[in-house]
């Protein structure tokens, strides 16, 4: 088994699943959020993740906003802005290497999901057009504003109908939303999962900013103990640098927690990091090292 793992870690191709110690391979995700495309005017390429064989499985480009007057922005600019030309080219190379490229919708800036909720026929086509234009593998729905359950289910149904069974539909609730506690979305994730769980690929749950912690397995255990969403669909989300959010957990502690989770839950879905450009331990000069450390922990 050690020989198999060594070969997997040294392989030039990026795997879609991280090997685990069992007789059958269990898909585990190494997810990286990529929001800061420019750091003090310097372009931050995501290609380090593949060039350094960090074994990332999914990169989530953030954040897409559906703004008033039928305008779409990726952060502060249209997705087609000249500043993003190199980024889209780099992401296409990562897709060719086997990495899934998704776009994160929403986040802390409100409005996108309120508009999808109340004016679906106007705003959904804008989202669909971005997905088609950039050949994206999926969407990550980060609902940090009130949205109706019916509105979210309508959105998921439309995405699945338009893009098919292989299209990735993930959501990014705070961790307590999956353990029966508070959430930021306005609807019940328990109800959503019972109604549409088969159409949801997985959850990038936020175990930080006071909504959970990965300093130990306790917060993740609470989600599984709640008994609604299984471990196979709960990716453990962490901040990658204390400057990126509260509840930062050092790489060593995070690795320890992930190893315990892989041992406790054979179908454990993996880990996600917010965000890429300054990820520790490598920081700005080598941000891909976070993903490498996570992949190593998940493979043990």
């Amino acid at each position: 088994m050690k020989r198999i793992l060594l070969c997997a870690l040294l392989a030039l191709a990026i795997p879609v699943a991280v090997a685990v110690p069992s007789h059958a391979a269990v898909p585990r995700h190494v997810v990286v959020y990529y929001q800061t495309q420019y750091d003090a005017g310097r372009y931050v390429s995501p290609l380090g993740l593949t060039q350094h064989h960090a074994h990332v499985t999914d990169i989530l480009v953030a954040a897409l906003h559906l703004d008033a007057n039928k305008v779409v922005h990726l952060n502060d600019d249209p997705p087609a802005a000249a500043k993003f030309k190199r980024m889209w080219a780099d992401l296409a190379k990562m897709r060719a290497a086997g990495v899934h490229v998704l776009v994160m919708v929403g986040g802390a800036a409100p409005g996108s999901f309120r508009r999808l909720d109340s004016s679906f026929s106007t705003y959904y086509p804008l989202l669909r057009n971005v997905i088609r234009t950039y050949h994206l593998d999926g969407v990550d729905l980060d609902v940090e504003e009130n949205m109706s359950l019916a509105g979210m289910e309508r959105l998921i149904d439309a995405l699945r109908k338009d893009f098919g069974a292989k299209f990735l539909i993930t959501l990014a609730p705070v961790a307590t939303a999956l353990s029966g506690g508070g959430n930021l979305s306005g609807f019940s994730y328990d109800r959503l999962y019972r109604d549409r769980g088969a159409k949801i690929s997985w959850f990038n749950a936020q175990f930080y900013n006071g909504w959970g912690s990965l300093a130990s397995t306790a917060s993740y255990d609470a989600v599984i103990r709640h008994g609604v969403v299984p471990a196979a669909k709960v990716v453990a989300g962490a901040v990658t640098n204390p400057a990126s959010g509260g509840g930062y957990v050092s790489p060593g502690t995070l690795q320890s927690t992930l190893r315990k989770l892989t041992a406790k839950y054979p179908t454990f879905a993996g880990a996600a990091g917010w965000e890429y450009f300054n990820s520790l331990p490598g920081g700005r000069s080598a941000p891909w090292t976070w993903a490498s450390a996570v992949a190593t922990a998940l493979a043990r």
Side-chain angles (χ1 to χ4, degrees):
M1 189 63 196
K2 288 182 180 179
R3 182 179 179 183
I4 294 174
L5 292 179
L6 180 60
C7 292
L9 289 173
L10 293 177
L12 293 179
I14 303 301
V16 296
V18 175
V20 296
S22 63
H23 295 295
V26 175
R28 289 201 173 116
H29 301 279
V30 179
V31 179
V32 171
Y33 280 89
Y34 173 50
Q35 181 177 44
T36 300
Q37 289 91 28
Y38 286 86
D39 179 25
R42 178 186 64 90
Y43 172 63
V44 179
S45 174
L47 285 178
L49 288 160
T50 49
Q51 291 171 341
H52 295 275
H53 316 303
H55 296 274
V56 63
T57 59
D58 309 271
I59 185 165
L60 279 53
V61 185
L64 192 75
H65 305 296
L66 305 176
D67 295 330
N69 301 318
K70 296 191 286 187
V71 175
V72 181
H73 281 100
L74 181 61
N75 298 322
D76 298 324
D77 299 278
K83 66 184 291 185
F84 294 130
K85 183 176 181 180
R86 183 177 174 188
M87 179 197 76
W88 291 122
D90 286 350
L91 291 170
K93 292 176 183 177
M94 294 184 73
R95 287 190 75 236
V99 179
H100 297 130
V101 177
L102 297 79
V103 66
M104 189 200 94
V105 182
S112 297
F113 291 103
R114 183 177 71 246
R115 295 180 182 104
L116 285 167
D117 207 3
S118 62
S119 303
F120 186 79
S121 62
T122 298
Y123 285 94
Y124 175 71
L126 302 180
L127 173 60
R128 183 176 59 198
N129 182 59
V130 171
I131 295 168
R132 287 174 173 168
T133 298
Y134 298 103
H135 309 290
L136 298 172
D137 298 300
V139 294
D140 182 60
L141 307 174
D142 187 0
V143 189
E144 299 187 16
E145 59 182 316
N146 284 337
M147 185 180 192
S148 70
L149 177 66
M152 177 51 68
E153 292 182 352
R154 176 174 58 183
L155 175 57
I156 291 172
D157 289 345
L159 289 166
R160 189 57 72 210
K161 178 181 178 181
D162 286 338
F163 296 102
K166 293 183 179 180
F167 187 75
L168 300 174
I169 301 174
T170 67
L171 287 89
V174 294
T176 52
L178 303 183
S179 60
N183 82 69
L184 301 174
S185 307
F187 56 82
S188 165
Y189 279 87
D190 286 2
R191 283 283 307 279
L192 177 66
Y193 191 76
R194 291 184 176 114
D195 292 349
R196 295 294 188 275
K199 294 183 178 182
I200 296 170
S201 302
W202 70 83
F203 296 90
N204 295 302
Q206 300 179 39
F207 287 85
Y208 49 87
N209 282 341
W211 300 101
S213 173
L214 292 177
S216 72
T217 67
S219 293
Y220 195 97
D221 292 339
V223 171
I224 306 308
R225 190 166 57 246
H226 186 58
V228 178
V229 184
K233 289 199 174 184
V234 182
V235 167
V239 289
T240 62
N241 187 303
S244 299
Y248 170 75
V249 175
S250 70
T253 300
L254 178 62
Q255 281 188 306
S256 175
T257 299
L258 294 178
R259 289 185 184 112
K260 291 173 183 176
L261 289 172
T262 61
K264 185 177 287 191
Y265 305 108
T267 60
F268 172 52
W274 179 272
E275 62 164 319
Y276 177 63
F277 83 106
N278 62 350
S279 299
L280 297 174
R284 285 171 166 83
S285 62
W288 54 84
T289 54
W290 183 91
S292 293
V294 164
T296 298
L298 293 176
R300 293 189 60 164

